[in-house]
Amino acid sequence: MSYYGPTGRGPRSVPACSGLAPSLALPAGATFAVVAAGTGALRPALSAARSRTADALADSARSPVRRPRLHAMTAYLPTPLLARRPGRAVLGGGGGLTGPQGVPVSPTLRRMPEITTPAPRDDTPEDARRQRLRRTFDEDAELYDRARPGYPAALYDDLAELAGARAGSRVLEVGCGTGQATVPLARRGCRITAVEAGPSMAAVARRNLAGMPDVEVVTAAFEDWPLPAEPYDTVLVVTAFHWIDPAVRVPKAADALRTGGALAVVRTQHVRGGTEEFFVEVQRCYERFDPETKPGTRPPTAAEVGNADHAQEVARGGRFGPTVFRRYEHDVTYTTPQYLDVLRTYSGHRALPEAARRGLLDSIAELIDGRYGGRVTKRYLVELGVSRRR
């Protein structure tokens, strides 16, 4: 297990899991930079902060949660790796993302970098663990609803443009959770059937969608749910595609769509950025409490996260055309309690033995409070892939 995050300032203390000797603690007015070499290796670089005084650093530590930044990007399917051609830069829809406590996003344009070497994704559970892990989300649906961040407004603009998810369209959403994506689509006038396997998650979704007559929430596993006779314009799967049986998810999505309809899959990945030093240090905590953690794991850059796996899977059956991808990076800043809450919603954390999970979360809290002033920033890569039914 590995979960990274954003860049911090000089330490006040050195938690046991950090792996740093007390003699390496940074003096006031200095920063610790992590420099990525061309091979992906990391080396620490200590530099004096010439433009900041100790008072300025103290003021920074007391500042309120920073506004996340949104970077909207798009890339189109080349072959064989979707990786060799830089995409064109796109800014869509403005900021509509909200993080913890409703923090808004300030949109910023960034050109899509070229993907050269795809990095391992953190949303590919092993087949043997898929069923067990996906049931963990239903254990605390209220926490999931409260802690998980939303998605950029640009994503919904692109769903309308590329996948036809606009006012009056018929949308089948698979794995709706508590309605993080369902609510914004319903407000845009989509007619939605939302299928959710977890009874508790589905109940919270119905509560969140109360008063929206064009939305139906069905409690069922997509694999077992009988498709209606009338086909849909869009099948949407948001951060849930990897939990569906691989033998079923693409063929059944094709069965659910009209000719020319769109399969729209949204995937998220933690990438390098934000409080980078914290996400390097926190790996020591995971290595201590989770034996499956690979030593020295680091978050990939957005450019290193590939999408060939998805494009090839969708194309394999011959029922969909080429996949179009659009990407959005955004930063979300969490206080210590907020960050622990979001960790408690992750299936890998929930599957840990109770003692190990408690020790892990306590050590992470100590690290954030002791070295990062009680808040860290995590950078998310959100990727939309749209494939048209032939």
Side-chain angles (χ1 to χ4, degrees):
M1 182 190 304
S2 56
Y3 292 89
Y4 328 90
T7 307
R9 301 299 174 191
R12 295 186 179 90
S13 62
V14 182
C17 69
S18 69
L20 296 178
S23 61
L24 295 181
L26 303 184
T31 60
F32 185 84
V34 177
V35 182
T39 61
L42 299 176
R43 70 177 187 272
L46 183 63
S47 62
R50 299 176 179 175
S51 62
R52 293 196 179 190
T53 64
D55 288 340
L57 286 171
D59 289 341
S60 176
R62 291 191 295 266
S63 63
V65 176
R66 290 168 289 179
R67 291 164 62 88
R69 295 173 297 164
L70 167 67
H71 309 287
M73 304 178 291
T74 184
Y76 292 95
L77 170 64
T79 56
L81 293 177
L82 310 168
R84 304 297 179 187
R85 183 187 307 169
R88 60 183 176 85
V90 169
L91 177 64
L97 178 82
T98 57
Q101 298 180 342
V103 178
V105 166
S106 299
T108 305
L109 179 64
R110 174 185 289 183
R111 183 164 295 280
M112 174 66 194
E114 182 175 2
I115 302 172
T116 54
T117 305
R121 299 189 63 97
D122 57 16
D123 59 357
T124 53
E126 299 174 359
D127 288 343
R129 304 180 67 199
R130 178 178 290 107
Q131 287 294 330
R132 177 171 63 88
L133 290 178
R134 81 176 190 175
R135 288 193 293 267
T136 64
F137 298 110
D138 206 50
E139 294 171 355
D140 196 340
E142 295 290 350
L143 174 65
Y144 187 99
D145 188 56
R146 181 177 73 251
R148 286 292 182 107
Y151 301 96
L155 169 66
Y156 301 102
D157 294 336
D158 289 339
L159 280 170
E161 175 190 344
L162 299 177
R166 56 177 64 93
S169 64
R170 297 186 72 246
V171 176
L172 170 61
E173 185 183 1
V174 181
C176 70
T178 59
Q180 277 86 347
T182 325
V183 171
L185 285 173
R187 288 172 177 164
R188 288 173 175 240
C190 296
R191 296 181 293 155
I192 304 170
T193 301
V195 178
E196 169 54 47
S200 298
M201 300 280 273
V204 176
R206 290 188 189 95
R207 184 189 69 202
N208 291 338
L209 292 157
M212 299 181 181
D214 291 331
V215 181
E216 178 189 12
V217 178
V218 178
T219 305
F222 178 63
E223 295 91 332
D224 303 327
W225 182 63
L227 294 174
E230 184 180 359
Y232 291 91
D233 301 307
T234 305
V235 172
L236 174 65
V237 191
V238 182
T239 63
F241 192 74
H242 53 291
W243 296 119
I244 305 170
D245 184 344
V248 174
R249 57 198 182 196
V250 174
K252 191 163 184 175
D255 291 342
L257 287 165
R258 62 172 175 80
T259 301
L263 169 62
V265 175
V266 177
R267 301 197 292 177
T268 61
Q269 172 87 24
H270 176 199
V271 294
R272 191 175 306 165
T275 313
E276 291 185 11
E277 184 189 350
F278 164 73
F279 289 102
V280 172
E281 288 193 65
V282 78
Q283 285 305 113
R284 298 280 186 170
C285 302
Y286 285 98
E287 291 170 17
R288 177 181 174 187
F289 291 101
D290 180 9
E292 295 186 7
T293 299
K294 294 180 180 180
T297 304
R298 299 291 182 265
T301 65
E304 292 171 336
V305 179
N307 45 27
D309 61 327
H310 179 70
Q312 291 168 358
E313 179 183 352
V314 174
R316 196 173 297 129
R319 301 180 70 182
F320 289 94
T323 299
V324 176
F325 292 96
R326 289 196 179 173
R327 289 181 155 194
Y328 325 84
E329 284 183 67
H330 65 93
D331 293 351
V332 179
T333 296
Y334 297 97
T335 64
T336 302
Q338 290 168 345
Y339 190 65
L340 296 186
D341 273 353
V342 80
L343 292 182
R344 290 185 181 101
T345 70
Y346 293 156
S347 60
H349 291 70
R350 299 193 67 85
L352 285 174
E354 174 63 28
R357 183 169 63 249
R358 188 185 311 113
L360 173 63
L361 295 178
D362 287 347
S363 67
I364 293 174
E366 180 186 356
L367 181 63
I368 298 174
D369 288 337
R371 288 175 53 79
Y372 296 93
R375 52 172 56 108
V376 292
T377 299
K378 182 174 182 177
R379 178 164 296 174
Y380 294 88
L381 171 65
V382 178
E383 180 178 73
L384 167 65
V386 178
S387 316
R388 286 282 178 176
R389 163 87 151 80
R390 286 177 168 154

